[in-house]
């Protein structure tokens, strides 16, 4: 099945408009979802939409409402919502360009691949891609999709572009409040050197395929065992936690770091492989 576009429209740079399509660059992967089941009958629990004092209602009778005070709502139907005119509904105008390092990773939300919508758009698309690459800049703009206007960053990605949705400033908590009680004192040089050595020993090129969701794997094994089991009894498997006591003094930390450095095997220095998106 062909991938469904997350957004279709045009990227605009001054007087140049480029028809494009954006597709999700990620997928759910190993995520396991559960249904709620009525244990005595083994049947799935269904949820009905009900109105207090009235009971179940038809889906066609449901519209959206915004609460302006307790129990008082402004009612809007889908046609009214869709009619709100925002230029960014079909146009992503690049209004600013920044160095990618200027954007704190906290603001990045989700990536999308962007490709030209047709052959006619390809020439302008390639010019924009290469201009961004040459300038080493990221383009910023806003687009309206699925009921909200999102801030996005555009940058080169192989033969295409990568669009990343960004969080707005009011969606990001400032860390200072959480770090206020941490002392500003510097660690002792020997402790710092040992920790740095341990980091060096575990350093290797990043390869996403080296990591997988171990919890999802364990859940699948449990589900397989329970499906094959005839008894219906609970299957409880204890997992040993890493040994060691949490020490808070310098002597324990020093000993733990020295032992860790001595026991550590160098990380695999695998050759970096370029993978096409």
């Amino acid at each position: 099945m062909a991938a469904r576009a997350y957004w279709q429209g045009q990227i605009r740079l001054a007087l140049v408009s480029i028809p494009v399509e954006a597709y999700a660059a990620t997928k759910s992967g190993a995520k396991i979802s559960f249904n709620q089941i009525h244990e005595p009958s083994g049947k799935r629990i269904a949820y009905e939409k009900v109105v207090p004092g009235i009971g179940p209602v038809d889906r066609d009778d449901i519209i959206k409402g915004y609460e302006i005070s307790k129990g008082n709502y402004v009612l809007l139907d889908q046609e009214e919502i869709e009619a709100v005119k925002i230029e960014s509904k079909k146009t992503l105008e690049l209004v600013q360009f920044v160095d990618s390092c200027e954007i704190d990773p906290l603001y990045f939300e989700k990536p999308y691949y962007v490709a030209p919508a047709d052959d006619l758009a390809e020439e302008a698309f390639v010019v924009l891609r290469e201009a961004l690459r040459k300038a080493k800049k990221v383009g910023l703009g806003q687009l309206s999709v699925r009921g909200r206007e999102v801030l996005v960053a555009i940058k080169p990605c192989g033969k295409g572009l990568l669009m990343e949705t960004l969080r707005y400033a009011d969606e990001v908590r400032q860390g200072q409040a959480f770090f206020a009680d941490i002392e500003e004192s510097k660690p002792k040089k020997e402790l710092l050197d040992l920790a740095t050595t341990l980091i060096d020993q575990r350093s290797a090129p990043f390869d996403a395929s080296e990591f997988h969701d171990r919890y999802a794997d364990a859940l699948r094994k449990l589900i397989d065992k329970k499906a094959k089991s005839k008894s219906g009894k609970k299957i409880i498997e204890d997992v040993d936690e890493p040994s060691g006591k949490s020490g808070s003094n310098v002597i324990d930390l020093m000993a733990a770091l020295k032992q860790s450095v001595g026991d550590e095997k160098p990380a695999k220095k695998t050759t970096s492989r370029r993978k096409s998106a």
Side-chain angles (χ1 to χ4, degrees):
M1 181 184 293
R4 183 181 177 184
Y6 165 77
W7 181 79
Q8 294 174 305
Q10 55 187 3
I11 295 178
R12 189 166 70 194
L13 177 60
L15 299 178
V16 178
S17 294
I18 310 167
V20 297
E21 296 176 338
Y23 298 89
T26 59
K27 55 184 180 179
S28 57
K31 184 178 180 181
I32 293 178
S33 59
F34 293 99
N35 296 309
Q36 291 190 324
I37 304 297
H38 179 237
E39 186 175 11
S41 66
K43 294 182 178 180
R44 182 175 174 177
I45 295 174
Y47 292 91
E48 290 184 308
K49 294 185 181 293
V50 298
V51 176
I54 297 176
V57 296
D58 293 332
R59 187 176 295 273
D60 293 340
D61 293 334
I62 300 173
I63 63 174
K64 293 183 178 180
Y66 181 82
E67 190 173 33
I68 55 175
S69 61
K70 187 66 174 179
N72 294 315
Y73 301 89
V74 173
L75 304 181
L76 298 169
D77 63 29
Q78 196 59 35
E79 187 178 0
E80 291 176 302
I81 295 172
E82 291 293 335
V84 174
K85 296 188 181 298
I86 299 179
E87 189 178 12
S88 63
K89 265 189 171 183
K90 292 295 180 183
T91 302
L92 167 57
E93 182 168 6
L94 300 181
V95 297
Q96 185 181 351
F97 297 90
V98 301
D99 295 330
S100 59
C101 61
E102 291 184 49
I103 306 175
D104 192 298
L106 277 170
Y107 289 93
F108 288 106
E109 197 170 36
K110 193 171 181 180
Y112 296 87
Y113 295 129
V114 178
D118 50 47
D119 292 341
L120 294 175
E122 190 170 311
E123 182 181 11
F125 181 91
V126 170
V127 170
L128 173 61
R129 181 195 69 200
E130 293 308 306
L132 287 171
R133 184 168 279 144
K134 183 177 180 180
K136 297 181 180 179
K137 296 288 184 180
V138 172
L140 298 179
Q142 290 173 280
L143 59 86
S144 180
V145 61
R146 298 181 183 177
R148 62 187 292 249
E149 188 175 46
V150 295
L151 174 64
V152 300
I154 294 281
K155 64 183 179 183
C157 177
K159 294 195 295 183
L161 293 171
L162 186 69
M163 178 178 77
E164 295 178 275
T165 56
L166 302 175
R167 297 179 177 90
Y168 288 104
D170 61 359
E171 296 177 300
V172 176
R173 291 177 175 173
Q174 298 302 311
Q176 287 84 345
F178 302 98
F179 307 147
D181 294 335
I182 301 175
E183 296 182 6
E184 295 185 7
S185 59
K186 299 292 183 180
K188 291 186 176 181
K189 185 179 183 302
E190 188 176 0
L191 289 171
L192 186 59
D193 289 344
L194 284 168
T196 304
T197 300
L198 187 58
I199 290 172
D200 289 340
Q201 289 177 341
R202 291 195 175 194
S203 295
F206 175 67
D207 182 358
S209 65
E210 293 289 325
F211 300 87
H212 62 279
D213 190 336
R214 295 172 297 176
Y215 181 63
D217 291 345
L219 274 179
R220 283 197 181 89
K221 289 180 181 178
L222 173 61
I223 292 168
D224 289 342
K225 285 183 180 179
K226 200 72 184 282
K228 295 175 182 176
S229 174
K230 303 296 183 181
S231 65
K233 294 181 179 179
K234 290 183 180 180
I235 299 176
I236 306 296
E237 296 184 359
D238 292 329
V239 178
D240 294 332
E241 291 294 331
S243 60
K245 299 179 180 179
S246 56
S248 59
N249 57 61
V250 176
I251 297 175
D252 288 341
L253 178 59
M254 181 77 74
L257 283 171
K258 285 183 177 179
Q259 184 176 346
S260 297
V261 169
D263 294 344
E264 190 65 26
K265 295 181 180 179
K268 294 180 181 179
K269 300 293 182 179
T270 55
T271 304
S272 178
R273 302 187 303 272
R274 286 192 176 185
K275 296 182 180 180
S276 61

